[in-house]
Amino acid sequence: MRYAAFISYRHTPGDMEIAKKVHTGLETYKIPKGVRQKTGKNKIGRVFRDQEELPIGSDLDDNISQALRESEFLIVICSPRTPESYWVCKEIETFIKMHGRNHILAVLVEGEPSDSFPAQLLVDENGESVEPLAADVRGTTQKEINKKFKTEILRLAAPIIGCTYDELKQRDRERRIKRMSSIFGLAASGLTLAGTAFGIYNANVAEQMKQLADEKSRLAEEISIQYDGKLENQSRFYAEEALTLLDQGAREDAALVAIEGLPSEDNERPYVADAEYALSKVLYAYSNSNDFTVDRVLTHELPVKYMKRIDDSSKLVTIDEGSRVYVWDAQDWSLMTQIEPAIDDFNYYEDIKYADADSTGLFVAAEHNVTKYDFDGNKLYELKTDDVIVQCEVCAEQGKLILVGLRSISIIDTNDGSEIAYFNNDTGAYFRSEGKYIEEYNKFYVCGDNSDTDGACVAIVDLNDNTYRSVEVSDGIYLDFTVTQNGSIVTLYGNKDMISEGVTQLTVELFNSDYEKVWSKQLDANYKNLLTYYANIRSNTYTENGVTNSYVLVTSATYAFAIDENTGDIIKTFNLPGDATMVAMTVDSPYGRVGYRQGNIDFVDFVEGRIYSEFEIPTNFAIKEASLFKDKIILSSYSAEELYVLTWHDAPDLEDFVTFEGKETPSMTSPDGLYFATTDYGEYTNVNFYDKDGKEIYSFDEGEFIYSVHLFNDKAILQDKRSFWIINPYEGTCEEITLEELGIDMYTYDMTLSKDGTGAALWNARDLAAVDLDTKKVMIEASTESTIGKVIMDSAHKKLYVSEGKDVLYEIDIEGKTTKEFKDENLSTVANSYTKDFIALSPDDKHIAICCKDGYVRLVSTENYETEAKIPLQSYLSAFIGFTDDGTHIIMQGDDYKIRIWDIENECTASSIDTSATVRQIICDEEDGLMALSVGYGTMLYETKGYGCVGFAQEGMFYLKSNNSILVSSDQTEVKRTYYKNYKQLVEEAKRQFPGAELTEEKKAKYNIN
């Protein structure tokens, strides 16, 4: 070969720089002697690196094609920009055709492998997922990149030379050691005593051997660390993939992928919090019935064209475009039966369009025959007819099957297939397929029309006496009909020429229970594209203020009409945000749900014409059709093999806890987690106290205006307008301490407390005071020249730390009544932060963290008054700063509401997660290795080894560390309780929810699991 390697890279500055270094590094690399002897290679040889970018769309020029043909290896420089490069991908494809895949190497210079490797490098010739041999030179600084490059160039050189990476690395170390020993040997050669020289030589060899042994041990440790690091990154990838699958509705696959990222008996994978968090989300581990999302995906071999809920809602029957019939158990959505299409007498597959089932079996209708199967797929009997079948409907309670043809209706005994009754179509219309069995009246209704002749009808089959009658309706094209709770029939027809002219008018007619027409209503419409046109008609009855109201709802594309059932008058006309394909009415109310062809499901007041966007159910896919179960909706989409099962989700261990008399706002929990406090919603004069079991232990209602509530294990302290209250909720005692009694002249004030609640710092705009709450004595009073932002007290009640906003941060010695300023002139803050927790003192009183107006949080020492760390955080309008109980991490939240956890020792961000509310409280649970953050009306859970987020209760009011419980409520009145679940418990819960579920090899490849 002319070239040892061909370097393929994107011609961008960062990629070009590494390409040059690889080029030079390989061509100038000196192969160690021992490796030369083993491989027979004295040098690597020439390396080809093209210096010019070719225009997209042209062919590879002759020089590059020839260079690829004459190169033994291909080296691809990989960054997130690489997969977008037409030429890099073209060079990879060409090299594979010429030499195969085994001689392709990669250099990862930036980003993650999944984002940076071109697709051709991630699969083998069989399409199986692989990961190419890659050198990793990523670094946050140029110094780090250069350091890594020195060792990673050996990883590229080894396969080109024909040896292993470990051989090169060891020889490289030996070469350095020999260089050191040779210097030592030169010094030794000056000695005249042979014995001494020999002794030095032996000592030198022994030292070399020791160094080599130490190097090997360190190398093994490095390899172990690198391997663990690779597994950790892989676990994070699996966690991200699981959350993506959850968003797509593939919950079962999401759970299995998340589990792949967690430790188990079958692997040595390190624990990564992201994987636990993902699995908790997938399993709705901390949910409170407020998540109506995809629970299951029912996958078919081809796109679904038909679905039917059977009468008792125990099963769902579906048909795909290949005429396969499926029966799904609605309890766990397992596939009970799959019937393959039969071959007819003319050697064609039968076109199966309709199916239904009862407890005795499955009924499958082709064009001229109906076949009954048991749920093992065995044929029980077959019925044939000369009519063209348009529908089969099982009336389970009656043991009857309604067989609808274009020109006839038959009643069949489901047990033996015998015919009970037969009715000819006595109208000029053809029956349609959307007939409905109304169990309440034990009647079957079907509409018909005929676009070639005049005639439209409704036919009614009374299963009480097996009789039939038809009702003529206004001529037109059938769209839909409904039967009201009053037994009336309401039909919806379009204009007769709508096939050629589009929809120009809709006719709504109501027939009472005696089949007499009561009213007819024309609605204007204008819709030309019939391929995407949908119309629905529904009815509902509700009682309001003792008055019963009945209405009919019509949707036509993006228009909705509410019509009075009794009079036919239009109550409301309003627009919808999409083409309505699904309408579901809420029993005894004017409300319901509307699903759209464009996706998503809205909650709508049909009588008022109001859409409640806050209760929208996002679907992430277009809605074609829906089947409604008691607490579930089954949705189909266009040309999709999947059906989506949407349902409400509860935490698996959710239990009733307490019901408040009215709406209550969460305040905080005691440090030991044995009790918690709330305030009546919208009220500021009372505080309610409950123990960990939900029992009310004390109620305070004597306040003038309670600004803040502080809980300690043995007491609660409330900040009132001109006083503060010390309460023992267990003993039911309450003591008020007024500012007047203390001799403090402040009309209003702010307050912070010492860690144990025995000391208080009080201040207003220009005055401050420190109070010993045990003795109820003022320890110090002072005034300032500029506005006070905040005052905090140390644990020993010896010092106050005062932020004077735009000026300085300084310390007041309470006993000595002296002050000392911190040295950093950038410790000034902005007034917007004064009502926020913009400054915090560490638990050991050694550090202060403060949000500064230049967009940084500064960590300053209270011992030497120096700034020790500067952390970016935009916190002009919103700020929260706090320390973990062990003082090793800072919890920060700025204007973007993102929670960041800063590792003080390692000076890096340990965790970062988006939120939409302000932190209320930090609860550290050292015994269980957890930290909980109360955020708005939610609770976030973190493990305390790496401070990764492991769970989020969106409606979590409190976390009680005394029993690891999370109190959740969607209305702040009915409170339920769930518990923290570690990753092992979550894995067991996943097995319970998805028994026997496994990822197929195809899915493992699809999700890059290896």
Side-chain angles (χ1 to χ4, degrees), residues 61 182 223 308 351 360 417 454 458 526 781 796 893 896 927:
D61 67 19
S182 65
I223 291 172
K308 174 75 163 59
D351 183 14
T360 67
D454 293 335
V458 178
N526 184 10
E781 284 188 273
Q893 188 180 44
D896 59 1
E927 183 177 340

Side-chain angles (χ1 to χ4, degrees), residues 382-588:
E382 181 178 6
L383 306 174
K384 293 189 176 183
T385 177
D386 293 331
D387 202 352
V388 176
I389 298 173
V390 297
Q391 185 179 1
C392 67
E393 176 85 14
V394 175
C395 309
E397 287 294 320
Q398 303 297 315
K400 296 173 181 178
L401 172 70
I402 306 295
L403 195 60
V404 183
L406 288 176
R407 302 178 301 274
S408 66
I409 297 177
S410 301
I411 303 177
I412 307 297
D413 187 314
T414 57
N415 291 315
D416 57 15
S418 60
E419 187 175 85
I420 299 173
Y422 176 86
F423 310 105
N424 274 314
N425 186 347
D426 58 358
T427 72
Y430 294 126
F431 290 137
R432 300 293 295 265
S433 60
E434 294 89 352
K436 299 171 185 177
Y437 171 61
I438 308 299
E439 187 173 358
E440 181 181 354
Y441 306 121
N442 197 23
K443 294 178 181 179
F444 178 80
Y445 305 80
V446 63
C447 287
D449 61 21
N450 191 331
S451 59
D452 297 325
T453 65
D454 293 335
C457 72
V458 178
I460 304 99
V461 177
D462 191 331
L463 296 178
N464 295 297
D465 54 10
N466 299 324
T467 58
Y468 161 91
R469 69 170 296 168
S470 61
V471 178
E472 184 178 345
V473 302
S474 294
D475 197 19
I477 301 298
Y478 167 80
L479 295 173
D480 199 5
F481 81 98
T482 188
V483 179
T484 74
Q485 290 175 256
N486 299 317
S488 299
I489 305 169
V490 192
T491 61
L492 177 64
Y493 280 75
N495 47 291
K496 191 167 179 64
D497 59 355
M498 65 180 283
I499 303 299
S500 59
E501 300 299 323
V503 183
T504 59
Q505 188 177 58
L506 302 176
T507 300
V508 184
E509 294 185 329
L510 182 138
F511 300 83
N512 63 22
S513 56
D514 294 324
Y515 313 118
E516 298 168 339
K517 184 187 292 187
V518 178
W519 53 258
S520 179
K521 190 76 176 180
Q522 274 71 47
L523 305 175
D524 291 332
N526 184 10
Y527 204 94
K528 298 298 183 183
N529 187 4
L530 295 184
L531 292 176
T532 59
Y533 178 71
Y534 280 86
N536 301 274
I537 188 166
R538 300 289 185 271
S539 65
N540 205 1
T541 297
Y542 66 98
T543 301
E544 187 175 61
N545 298 324
V547 178
T548 299
N549 304 278
S550 299
Y551 68 98
V552 174
L553 178 75
V554 175
T555 65
S556 171
T558 60
Y559 294 94
F561 308 86
I563 304 171
D564 189 302
E565 180 183 331
N566 297 313
T567 66
D569 295 332
I570 293 180
I571 302 171
K572 194 74 176 179
T573 301
F574 57 98
N575 291 328
L576 298 168
D579 295 324
T581 57
M582 179 212 91
V583 178
M585 316 300 283
T586 302
V587 176
D588 194 27

Side-chain angles (χ1 to χ4, degrees), residues 820-860:
K820 186 166 186 177
E821 288 189 14
F822 285 78
K823 298 177 181 179
D824 194 332
E825 62 183 15
N826 294 307
L827 295 177
S828 57
T829 60
V830 291
N832 305 69
S833 299
Y834 292 175
T835 59
K836 312 294 182 183
D837 294 315
F838 71 93
I839 184 171
L841 181 64
S842 64
D844 60 5
D845 297 330
K846 291 183 178 180
H847 291 93
I848 288 175
I850 182 170
C851 296
C852 303
K853 69 180 180 182
D854 61 356
Y856 288 92
V857 169
R858 285 178 170 80
L859 182 70
V860 295

Side-chain angles (χ1 to χ4, degrees), residues 993-1006:
Q993 291 192 26
F994 307 104
E998 292 182 351
L999 288 173
T1000 64
E1001 291 303 317
E1002 181 181 355
K1003 286 186 176 180
K1004 285 182 179 179
K1006 179 179 178 181

